[in-house]
Amino acid sequence: MKLDDIRREYLYSGLSRKDLADDPIVQFKNWLQMAIDADLNADPTAMSLATVNAQGVPSQRIVLLKNLDASGFVFYTNLGSRKAQNIAENANVSLHFAWLPMERQICVTGVAEKLSIAEATRYFLSRPHESQVAAWASQQSQAIGSRKLLEQAFEQMKNRFKQGEVPLPSFWGGYRVRPVTIEFWQGRANRLHDRFMYKMVGENWEVERLQP
Ligand SMILES: Cc1cc2nc3c(=O)[nH]c(=O)nc-3n(C[C@H](O)[C@H](O)[C@H](O)COP(=O)(O)O)c2cc1C
């Protein structure tokens, strides 16, 4: 395999200051809608979430964006997971969206805060039954001896919640990432890419062009 020969020119589009919305959340929603409409891949709402633990060791994983408004980017997860432990130790996180067929990425830095139980419950109850049961069955990020044990735990929970609504587990919920910076990146020819960084300054968003 020869990796150093793999490259391409980025010619899909450009991005200029006058194309940008004043509010990066509006701009984000424009790009997300384009990614959804373009049917690029199965998971247009997938984002890499980077966290850092108390020892300063970073880790990343993909989660799905489930809500977005002026107050931030929402995802759901297990509250005992490695990511949740990291956030408890250090609430500074980063989100990364990549829509590579459109030669676009968005990088967000921000502060994660736990959602209220009411908000988490609303979302949990909207999930398919099997996903609700699976949330009960998995102690996410913990070691387990075999797949069989996991499937047994799933069957046990299926039995336990045969009837009626599956309640929100106390160890499951979500986070809202309040953005501090949001960068929009559009690939351009000759590696002269367009980058615009929004920063929250006081109550307002300011935007500046960055070198590629
Ligand atoms: C496309 C995709 C979507 C995912 N969505 C979520 C999600 O919304 N929430 C979640 O907890 N894990 C999700 N995962 C699994 C995570 O990437 C990760 O394996 C899990 O959350 C455990 O991470 P941690 O041990 O670092 O906490 C997703 C994985 C992929 C590939």
Side-chain angles (χ1 to χ4, degrees):
M1 200 190 308
K2 206 158 154 27
L3 300 181
D4 56 1
D5 271 354
I6 298 178
R7 63 171 65 84
R8 63 176 170 129
E9 274 294 308
Y10 298 107
L11 304 170
Y12 180 83
S13 185
L15 185 63
S16 60
R17 177 67 187 86
K18 67 176 173 26
D19 300 330
L20 290 173
D22 290 338
D23 181 342
I25 301 297
V26 172
Q27 183 64 36
F28 183 96
K29 286 184 172 173
N30 288 344
W31 272 24
L32 176 58
Q33 190 61 55
M34 284 186 221
I36 292 168
D37 293 345
D39 215 4
L40 302 179
N41 58 38
D43 299 297
T45 58
M47 56 186 185
S48 294
L49 162 71
T51 57
V52 178
N53 72 11
Q55 286 74 44
V57 179
S59 57
Q60 298 181 64
R61 74 292 290 153
I62 290 178
V63 293
L64 297 179
L65 178 68
K66 288 295 176 183
N67 199 7
L68 172 64
D69 58 26
S71 57
F73 297 76
V74 169
F75 65 91
Y76 292 92
T77 194
N78 181 301
L79 300 177
S81 63
R82 177 181 55 161
K83 71 180 89 49
Q85 286 176 25
N86 283 186
I87 290 169
E89 291 165 358
N90 182 349
N92 293 303
V93 302
S94 163
L95 304 172
H96 181 254
F97 296 82
W99 299 302
L100 299 183
M102 301 177 95
E103 301 166 2
R104 286 179 178 171
Q105 62 176 339
I106 298 177
C107 310
V108 178
T109 63
V111 179
E113 57 188 46
K114 216 184 274 182
L115 298 181
S116 68
I117 290 178
E119 200 170 347
T121 303
R122 244 193 327 273
Y123 174 70
F124 187 78
L125 295 180
S126 77
R127 301 182 85 205
H129 180 77
E130 283 70 21
S131 305
Q132 294 174 338
V133 172
W136 276 95
S138 167
Q139 292 171 308
Q140 193 179 54
S141 317
Q142 300 300 310
I144 190 164
S146 69
R147 169 136 202 122
K148 192 153 174 251
L149 288 172
L150 183 64
E151 286 172 0
Q152 279 170 358
F154 183 69
E155 288 306 318
Q156 269 168 14
M157 291 301 163
K158 241 166 68 183
N159 254 331
R160 177 166 162 194
F161 298 114
K162 246 191 332 247
Q163 261 145 23
E165 220 167 54
V166 182
L168 176 76
S170 60
F171 54 83
W172 201 92
Y175 292 87
R176 172 172 285 107
V177 177
R178 289 192 181 274
V180 177
T181 64
I182 306 182
E183 181 199 329
F184 293 82
W185 184 99
Q186 177 74 62
R188 297 297 301 272
N190 305 319
R191 301 294 187 263
L192 297 178
H193 313 302
D194 288 325
R195 302 176 65 190
F196 288 95
M197 167 84 93
Y198 291 76
K199 272 189 207 148
M200 191 48 108
V201 179
E203 301 274 279
N204 297 310
W205 288 106
E206 288 183 2
V207 59
E208 58 191 4
R209 180 185 276 272
L210 301 182
Q211 299 185 42

